[in-house]
Amino acid sequence: MAEAESIIGRPDIPESEGHEGAEPERGEGAGPADGQSMDPTATEDGDGEAVVDRSAATRRRRIILLFCVAVLAYLLDLGSKMLVVAKLEHQEPVEIFGSWLRLDAIRNAGAAFGIGEAFTIIFTIIAATVIVVIARLARKLYSLPWAIALGLLLGGALGNLTDRIFRAPGTFQGAVVDFIAPAHFAVFNLADSSIVCGGILIVILSFKGLDPDGTVHKD
């Protein structure tokens, strides 16, 4: 047997082979092992692929996006309400698509779509609470879709909260300006639309198993 090996040569066998549980040596500069991510801070899916970048720069970008979306939604709502109060309040409704869609300025002391007019101050507290919760979530925000959804919620909540604080009949009891009046539906404003869109997006993201920190749950 020894003579045969000396003639045909002996195959190269790693020193670790034959020892159960041993791993082959990896040279300097080699890539990550199977199922491992190059970024130790990144989460992985079932195939071992990174699904989110958890760097501080990514979090800053998501927070900036959140506040950009919020500011845009807030300014659109505030500008539209100022225009409606100046041009449409105490005037006849303006028809956009016949009787199917009109602009009709009203004051709403309740929640979105005129719900609960007797609890104005409660809805004011709820809006303020939503803003605080969003600010806390922003500290661990790495998901782009969640940044957009939370931005829509924040902008809408700030828009209606501004009315609650600064409009008649008084601080924290102010009536919200509504003006979009579809046929057979409640009158609402752009802040309401922003809140609803943000809420729908959050429900979709939750069903998909995506958390604000970018973690994906595959149940």
Side-chain angles (χ1 to χ4, degrees):
M1 185 69 178
E3 294 178 358
E5 289 181 351
S6 64
I7 296 174
I8 64 175
R10 188 175 182 180
D12 294 332
I13 301 176
E15 294 180 0
S16 59
E17 187 173 334
H19 298 279
E20 186 176 356
E23 296 183 359
E25 295 182 358
R26 296 167 57 217
E28 183 179 355
D34 292 342
Q36 296 182 351
S37 170
M38 290 289 291
D39 183 0
T41 64
T43 59
E44 299 176 351
D45 61 14
D47 298 327
E49 296 180 356
V51 296
V52 64
D53 178 6
R54 290 176 178 267
S55 65
T58 296
R59 185 169 65 88
R60 285 195 297 269
R61 288 195 296 268
R62 298 298 180 256
I63 293 175
I64 291 173
L65 175 61
L66 186 158
F67 284 108
C68 285
V69 172
V71 168
L72 178 61
Y74 176 76
L75 291 179
L76 287 174
D77 178 68
L78 181 63
S80 64
K81 288 174 179 175
M82 293 175 63
L83 184 62
V84 164
V85 170
K87 301 294 184 181
L88 293 180
E89 200 166 37
H90 309 303
Q91 303 294 327
E92 291 295 322
V94 177
E95 294 185 349
I96 303 299
F97 295 108
S99 61
W100 291 99
L101 179 62
R102 301 184 303 170
L103 298 180
D104 186 10
I106 66 169
R107 297 295 181 110
N108 173 23
F113 309 114
I115 301 172
E117 294 189 3
F119 303 98
T120 303
I121 193 166
I122 295 178
F123 293 125
T124 303
I125 295 173
I126 292 174
T129 302
V130 168
I131 294 171
V132 173
V133 170
I134 292 173
R136 292 178 62 87
L137 283 175
R139 296 185 301 176
K140 58 177 182 178
L141 181 63
Y142 294 93
S143 168
L144 187 147
W146 270 95
I148 296 173
L150 294 177
L152 290 171
L153 279 180
L154 180 59
L158 285 172
N160 283 339
L161 184 61
T162 299
D163 284 359
R164 304 289 188 196
I165 295 175
F166 295 106
R167 296 193 186 277
T171 303
F172 299 114
Q173 296 181 343
V176 173
V177 176
D178 290 336
F179 58 92
I180 304 174
H184 313 298
F185 197 72
V187 184
F188 59 97
N189 56 43
L190 294 184
D192 296 334
S193 301
S194 181
I195 292 171
V196 170
C197 290
I200 292 174
L201 182 54
I202 286 175
V203 170
I204 293 173
L205 295 174
S206 298
F207 271 115
K208 287 182 174 292
L210 179 61
D211 290 343
D213 64 357
T215 303
V216 179
H217 302 284
K218 293 189 175 181
D219 299 328

